[in-house]
Amino acid sequence: MRILKIVFLLFALIYLVPTALAVLFWWAGSHPGSWRDADWTSAKLLPAPAQSRDAAVYVFAARTGGLKGAISEHSWVVVKEKGAPAYERWDKVGWGSPIRRNAYAADARWYSNPPQLVLERHGEAAEALIPSVREAIRAYPYSTAGSYHIFPGPNSNTFVEHVLRHVPGLRTNLPPAAIGRDYPSDGRFAVIDRDRGDLRLSILGYAGLSVGRTAGLELNILGLVAGIDPWHLGIKIPAFGSYSLLPERFSF
């Protein structure tokens, strides 16, 4: 019984308290009442395509709408071919056409929430990756109408994580608040990701464990991720996200 009390106390301190605080802070903030009231315009994070002929690949994430924005983010993929006059954006959504192309500006706000840049590749490196990115998008197994499930997935973050996992050279993790990223799009309980140097275990997205060079140590319980990032002297707080003392270029 004592052990159970300790386990529950740790769960409450690590998962429930941060989540409750995140919900409280979000509720006290100012947010649009509906998607019609939200700002979906460009956040002006990307240069105009005409400014550079180089190919590029980007991944963005932004807080979602409604109260779920307190704990979750929406992510998407952006590519630009070499010399192309425009960006291409790909999202997985729960309405209309499941995989949407160019429904919004490449760096648009999501429900008025500004996006953060998760990953970027440029030049010859991006040019070499784009065909694999397109193939991963085409091969996503949950691309039909009705295949979107907000929790535990597959959802928008499952889609982007699928692309990241199936394109060597895109070695990164979506933010911890990207609920649905740990849903196993390939249906496997255990995966050794050699490109990232990680071992991932997932029980259909409801719970999971990731450990390795890219993930550090993460424990996912009901979509909420807690963990440590020893390579950047960071921690991962449920609902809030990652906080690191060292930027990417100073990792060990």
Side-chain angles (χ1 to χ4, degrees), residues 70-88:
I71 62 173
S72 184
E73 299 183 349
H74 168 81
S75 59
W76 63 93
V77 179
V78 174
V79 301
K80 185 177 83 70
E81 300 277 4
K82 182 178 180 179
Y87 294 103
E88 291 180 75

Side-chain angles (χ1 to χ4, degrees), residues 35-56:
W35 67 269
R36 293 182 181 86
D37 302 322
D39 182 358
W40 302 90
T41 61
S42 170
K44 306 299 183 184
L45 298 181
L46 294 178
Q51 291 182 3
S52 173
R53 288 186 52 81
D54 287 347

Side-chain angles (χ1 to χ4, degrees), residues 52-149:
S52 173
R53 288 186 52 81
D54 287 347
V57 176
Y58 301 95
V59 173
F60 287 98
R63 290 284 167 164
T64 63
L67 189 59
K68 65 181 183 292
I71 62 173
S72 184
E73 299 183 349
H74 168 81
S75 59
W76 63 93
V77 179
V78 174
V79 301
K80 185 177 83 70
E81 300 277 4
K82 182 178 180 179
Y87 294 103
E88 291 180 75
R89 169 173 169 162
W90 302 88
D91 298 71
K92 174 74 165 68
V93 295
W95 62 90
S97 176
I99 304 294
R100 307 194 75 184
R101 177 179 177 271
N102 295 336
Y104 309 93
D107 56 357
R109 298 169 179 84
W110 190 256
Y111 278 95
S112 298
N113 300 307
Q116 61 171 312
L117 182 61
V118 177
L119 172 146
E120 59 181 321
R121 299 287 187 269
H122 299 276
E124 293 181 359
E127 190 175 357
L129 292 172
I130 288 176
S132 296
V133 170
R134 294 191 184 281
E135 175 58 24
I137 293 172
R138 186 199 65 78
Y140 181 61
Y142 302 103
S143 60
T144 58
S147 62
Y148 179 98
H149 300 280

